[in-house]
Amino acid sequence: MPTNFTVVPVKDSTGKAKKAEEEEDLDDNNVLREEEENATGDGVPKENSPFINNTDIDKGNSYDGTNMALFEEEMDSNPMVSSLLNKLANYTNLTQGAQEHEEAEEDEGPKKKAVKSPQMGTFMGVYLPCLQNILGVILFLRLTWIVGTAGILESLAIVALCCSCTMLTAISMSAIATNGVVPAGGSYYMISRSLGPEFGGAVGLCFYLGTTFAGSMYILGTIEILLTYIVPKAAIFVAEKKEDEVDALLNNMRVYGTCCLALMSIVVFVGVKYVNKLALVFLACVILSILAIYAGVIKTIFEPPDFPVCMLGNRTLQNHNFDSCLKMEVIGNMTVTTKLWKLFCDGSEFDATCNEYFINNNVTSIQGIPGLISGVISENMWSVYGPLGMMVENKNLSSFGGSDPAQDIYMPYVVNDITTFFTLLVGIYFPSVTGIMAGSNRSGDLRDAQKSIPIGTIMAIATTSFIYVTCVVLFGACIEGVLLRDKFGDSVKGNLVIGTLSWPSPWVIVIGSFFSCCGAGLQSLTGAPRLLQAIARDGIVPFLQVFGHGKANGEPTWALLLTAGICEIGILIASLDAVAPILSMFFLMCYLFVNLACAVQTLLRTPNWRPRFKYYHWALSFLGMSLCLALMFISSWYYAIVAMVIAGCIYKYIEYRGAEKEWGDGIRGLSLNAARYALIRLEEAPPHTKNWRPQLLVLLNVDSDQGVKHPRLLSLTTQLKAGKGLTIVGNVLEGTYLTKDAEAKRAEQNIKSSMSTEKTKGFCHVVVSSNLRDGFSHLIQSAGLGGMKHNTVLMGWPGTWRQSNDPQSWKNFIETVRETTAAHHALLVAKNVDSFPTNQDRLGEGTIDVWWVVHDGGMLMLLPFLLRQHKVWRKCKMRIFTVAQMDDNSIQMKKDLQMFLYHLRLDAEVEVVEMHDNDISAFTYEKTLVMEQRSQMLKQMQLSRTEREREIQSITDESRSSIRRKNQGAAQGTNLSQQSSLMEDTQEDEAQLIHDRNTASHAAINDKAESGPEQVHMTWTKEKLFTERNRNRECNANVAVRDLFNMKPEWESLNQSNVRRMHTAVKLNEVVVNKSQGAHLVLLNMPGPPKNRGGDENYMEFLEVLLEGLNRVLLVRGGGREVITIYS
């Protein structure tokens, strides 16, 4: 008896059944609102994230629009971009020592104060602070002595060496400082967030010690100016003998220095805000002093100042205790001895016993400042080094014997107070170029830190370098050599040597340098405790945590006490020349690690390394690092070793006791040991957002000969990875390992060969499993080792899923999508992967278009940046499109998105596409109808094999004559999937039956309008039958639309959830094709699969419609965590 086989119920009597079925479908498939919060598509909760789950604004507002219905299932966990842009674009820097951005999860409650937006620009915020910190005590107190001792040429070498070091460091620092938002904290934050807590803590403490000893140096400079040049009579310790003068000076420095330190500490404790307000006053003193020097140099051309230097033979005399540079003078027609005579003889009489050298040599007076055009520059070109106690001599003057070294030390000669040599002078000079971090330390106060820090710092270094170079040359060209080598100005009645050159008065320099040193000392005592407080509050050095506390207003009281204590050590050393190399060591150590951080980040090419400052290179950083190391050992090898030991001890201490924070043959045995250690360390904590990079598991298919089907997938992997990070290429063979082991090895060899050809660096993993579904699942779960596991799955789009006899092809794909979501892995699906470029291709001018619809962690932002690092995509520009709904302000969205990209250091064109809730078109209804009918037909195909054979045999027996008439000449062997694909493409909605897979024959049966009840029904409605009967493949659009409107009663019975999703797919496809059809690559958010597996095939149809008309497409699905950050 023939059986009626109805694919889709159409009669009125089945209306109730259909309605009930649709309601059930609606309940199951309406994925978008009914699912629990934070679900990912199959009920898996997402990881916490500051952006992904931060959707308080949208909670409670169910999504009612039709434009984004395809994404509404995950709207709770992956919010619309428009709702997030305002939050992403606006950020607030944290105050120094405050909780850092990564740790800001703790709720601060309603007491949190509103933070004023920073307003300082490049000039006031970076340039002037750097200028103030760089120029200072060494320029005024030691530069003339360095020029006189080392000569102009070697002094220029010292200046060039030190300024090159700071310039290279500034370039590296600019790269780090512009690689995201740097919270206030300066170099410590930059290095700790770049190289980790161990390096950060070690360098932070080195920088702290350097800043503290700088405070000592400035205080010693202040006291030296006070006691030597302003009020010499204020000295408590007075030397009775000449040989005791040095000790007396040091003791005075210790007493006055301690008092000054106590006074400054009290000022800092009581009113730090006044210190900051006075900073500009102190800077004005420095600038005025420098201008006075240049003015004095110009004046020497016309009228050199009168500062005579008294010489005995060729030796320079201290001019404290005599007025006239004569042995004898005539007073009232009487020749009498002078005060100078009494200094070298045991009486004022002519027959008194005198020093032999005094008797043999004449006394002459020379000008200390001969002037710019005097030609003295030629005499000051070369160095004059010497031991402690060596007399300052002018080799151009005659000298006769009679020198007695035992007696000379008691004579009023100007002598070296220390042994001088080139490397010592480097150590003494280097502090005069430190201070380059002043701008980055104020990053929290800058309006645009990423722009201001590089420009301001580099301009300040260029300015100060120019000042130092010109000063070296001008000092050498204007000042007599013996006066240059007179460190304390003893030969010019105790005047400051640089003051003798200035105009209008030496007091301009004396007073200016005094206030400059006072201000710099106060700044050091203000900055160092805050740096220590920041380190202590990070908690990486346990024993320092007590110093994180302070007054109620956050002032670091305990840190200030420790700073004052360490500063006192420097003051007890008492000698400016001895303290300067110490702080040079600590600053050089800090600069070394800044360069190292930049070099490491550049060479590793971490995805988060995207500095807005582009003029850097790892070679420059490496050169700067080498220069810092060389300068450390040049200055003082034993201090360098001590500084490195201190830094090493701090590093190891943090490694073993702290560092709980996450901010990322014999040689073979050593490699294995290092790998094991690294893997164990990697597993201790998940990677920080800054260190996140796609670690790829590439799911590759092979053909029957175990050859790679899509080698371009490996090309894409290479272009995405650039040889960095982990790549695992996985493949699954169906069967058992015992029977397939040879094929598995052959497949592995072929895959490795393809990887080598495509220059894909990674590992190959071939799994044999009873079915492909389980094999892919096992790969996703278990590939990798320890901390070296994949976080991203890359696979190709199953392009032939409609034509496949086996529905498992697309079912495996959807299950893989679900499993990657459950495992919190990101997913990349490449459509038309065979059209992707090879590694040898060079794409010309074009675009990579990103369609950012929902925010799922920032993968869409990161991938184009990574691709553009490869030479294939290097010339492509990045364009970002986002979708605005009816209620969105598209102009503000564009501004916010541009600001967000600026903070991310990404260069991209931005466009906001407006999609309004248009009426759903007839085309959308027709697409949905075709999809649902095909889905219903495939459900019928799930009958058991026996039942299906019986049904098809019955149909064949009853309809053989009809088949012969209708399908004469039709090709045998066309399967159901091929016909259904053709039906969809041409809008044929005839249903076809498929024969079982054991018999290769099948029949395509059509139902005529006049057919009797015993014929098989293969259409859905009478109206549809009429449309199909009169259909013409070449009909114009108007006819097609008119035909479609004949089906309206059936549209009303469609699953409305599917209609809305199809509407999203159609509308989104229209705008994407309109904007991006010519793009080299389109990246698009991948909607999640439905929770109810009954709608899986509909999901594939939605994606097909969404991607229609696009060539190269990369569908992107985030893994539930942030992978990109605006922070450094």
Side-chain angles (χ1 to χ4, degrees), residues 50-52 54-55 58 78-89 852 855-856 1122:
F51 292 151
I52 293 180
N54 192 4
T55 55
D58 304 321
N78 293 349
M80 288 290 294
V81 171
S82 57
S83 68
L84 278 183
L85 273 178
N86 190 48
K87 284 184 282 184
L88 295 177
W852 193 25
H855 181 74
D856 59 356
E1122 291 297 322

Side-chain angles (χ1 to χ4, degrees), residues 819-974:
E819 293 209 347
T820 56
T821 305
H824 297 301
H825 293 157
L827 176 65
L828 309 178
V829 179
K831 182 174 184 280
N832 298 331
V833 69
D834 291 328
S835 69
F836 275 62
T838 65
N839 292 327
Q840 286 70 43
D841 292 339
R842 299 291 179 271
L843 296 179
E845 298 291 334
T847 61
I848 300 175
D849 286 2
V850 176
W851 284 84
W852 193 25
V853 181
V854 295
H855 181 74
D856 59 356
M859 277 285 285
L860 282 169
M861 304 288 138
L862 192 60
L863 292 174
F865 170 78
L866 296 176
L867 283 173
R868 290 177 63 210
Q869 304 303 301
H870 197 276
K871 50 194 171 185
V872 172
W873 303 89
R874 192 160 290 157
K875 292 183 180 178
C876 296
K877 293 182 179 178
M878 181 176 167
R879 293 194 301 178
I880 295 184
F881 298 87
T882 192
V883 177
Q885 298 295 306
M886 285 286 288
D887 299 333
D888 295 327
N889 182 342
S890 57
I891 297 174
Q892 187 60 42
M893 277 181 67
K894 183 171 183 178
K895 289 180 181 177
D896 290 342
L897 183 54
Q898 286 171 334
M899 180 59 67
F900 182 50
L901 291 176
Y902 179 78
H903 292 324
L904 288 176
R905 295 90 63 204
L906 294 175
D907 296 319
E909 294 179 25
V910 173
E911 188 168 339
V912 177
V913 178
E914 295 183 349
M915 284 181 64
H916 303 301
D917 284 341
N918 299 328
D919 293 335
I920 297 173
S921 65
F923 178 69
T924 300
Y925 278 111
E926 178 63 16
K927 278 275 190 185
T928 311
L929 184 62
V930 170
M931 178 185 73
E932 290 198 356
Q933 288 170 345
R934 188 174 188 277
S935 181
Q936 287 291 337
M937 181 173 61
L938 287 174
K939 284 180 182 177
Q940 294 291 343
M941 304 308 295
Q942 304 303 318
L943 298 170
S944 68
R945 179 178 173 183
T946 306
E947 191 176 340
R948 188 170 55 201
E949 285 179 353
R950 187 169 61 250
E951 292 282 357
I952 293 176
Q953 184 60 47
S954 170
I955 294 166
T956 307
D957 291 343
E958 289 295 320
S959 309
R960 187 172 287 112
S961 62
S962 175
I963 293 169
R964 277 198 296 268
R965 277 198 311 275
K966 291 291 292 177
N967 295 300
Q968 191 168 13
Q972 298 284 322
T974 306

Side-chain angles (χ1 to χ4, degrees), residues 163-177 436-437 453-454 457-459 461 591 594-595 613 615-616:
C163 290
S164 299
C165 177
T166 53
M167 181 61 84
L168 291 170
T169 304
I171 291 171
S172 299
M173 186 195 73
S174 298
I176 296 172
I436 62 172
M437 300 288 187
I453 289 176
T457 305
I458 291 173
M459 287 301 295
I461 292 174
Y591 297 166
V594 170
N595 285 297
F613 179 78
Y615 306 103
Y616 70 95

Side-chain angles (χ1 to χ4, degrees), residues 650-671:
I650 296 169
Y651 178 93
K652 297 307 289 183
Y653 177 80
I654 295 172
E655 185 179 23
Y656 286 117
R657 295 296 306 276
E660 295 173 359
K661 298 191 177 293
E662 173 51 40
W663 286 323
D665 49 352
I667 297 298
R668 183 172 177 80
L670 184 65
S671 301

Side-chain angles (χ1 to χ4, degrees), residues 394-407:
N394 185 337
K395 300 298 183 184
N396 294 328
L397 296 178
S398 58
S399 173
F400 300 99
S403 178
D404 181 6
Q407 293 296 320

Side-chain angles (χ1 to χ4, degrees), residues 437-692:
M437 300 288 187
S440 62
N441 289 344
R442 294 171 178 237
S443 56
D445 301 324
L446 298 174
R447 188 184 307 119
D448 186 354
Q450 295 189 12
K451 177 183 175 184
S452 297
I453 289 176
I455 295 174
T457 305
I458 291 173
M459 287 301 295
I461 292 174
T463 304
T464 53
S465 299
F466 173 79
I467 290 172
Y468 285 133
V469 168
T470 53
C471 281
V472 166
V473 175
L474 293 175
F475 291 166
C478 293
I479 305 175
E480 179 62 48
V482 291
L483 181 55
L484 283 173
R485 295 196 295 280
D486 183 1
K487 185 186 289 186
F488 300 108
D490 290 323
S491 61
V492 284
K493 295 190 179 295
N495 275 300
L496 182 61
V497 175
I498 198 172
T500 61
L501 183 62
S502 66
W503 179 87
S505 166
W507 286 101
V508 175
I509 298 286
V510 173
I511 301 301
S513 58
F514 177 78
F515 281 113
S516 168
C517 292
C518 279
L522 284 170
Q523 292 283 354
S524 297
L525 288 177
T526 304
R530 277 159 181 70
L531 181 58
L532 181 63
Q533 186 183 46
I535 298 170
R537 285 187 175 178
D538 266 349
I540 59 171
V541 185
F543 72 82
L544 287 181
Q545 288 187 0
V546 66
F547 299 107
H549 307 297
K551 292 195 291 187
N553 63 354
E555 291 300 323
T557 309
W558 294 107
L560 178 60
L561 285 174
L562 180 66
T563 302
I566 297 173
C567 205
E568 179 64 18
I569 295 172
I571 287 171
L572 291 177
I573 294 173
S575 170
L576 189 69
D577 302 321
V579 172
I582 296 175
L583 68 100
S584 293
M585 287 305 114
F586 291 120
F587 277 120
L588 281 165
M589 183 77 74
C590 176
Y591 297 166
L592 184 148
F593 282 111
V594 170
N595 285 297
L596 176 64
C598 183
V600 166
Q601 295 273 46
T602 309
L603 289 172
L604 288 180
R605 294 185 187 174
T606 49
N608 189 59
W609 181 245
R610 302 182 302 278
R612 190 159 289 283
F613 179 78
K614 299 298 183 187
Y615 306 103
Y616 70 95
H617 192 271
W618 67 266
L620 291 176
S621 299
F622 189 77
L623 179 62
M625 185 179 70
S626 305
L627 204 52
C628 288
L629 192 62
L631 282 171
M632 286 175 68
F633 282 93
I634 285 172
S635 302
S636 175
W637 63 268
Y638 45 89
Y639 279 159
I641 291 173
V642 170
M644 294 174 79
V645 167
I646 291 173
C649 290
I650 296 169
Y651 178 93
K652 297 307 289 183
Y653 177 80
I654 295 172
E655 185 179 23
Y656 286 117
R657 295 296 306 276
E660 295 173 359
K661 298 191 177 293
E662 173 51 40
W663 286 323
D665 49 352
I667 297 298
R668 183 172 177 80
L670 184 65
S671 301
L672 286 171
N673 228 355
R676 180 189 63 81
Y677 175 75
L679 284 171
I680 292 171
R681 286 292 304 274
L682 272 176
E683 207 169 15
E684 289 176 1
H688 189 275
T689 301
K690 292 182 302 185
N691 299 327
W692 195 95

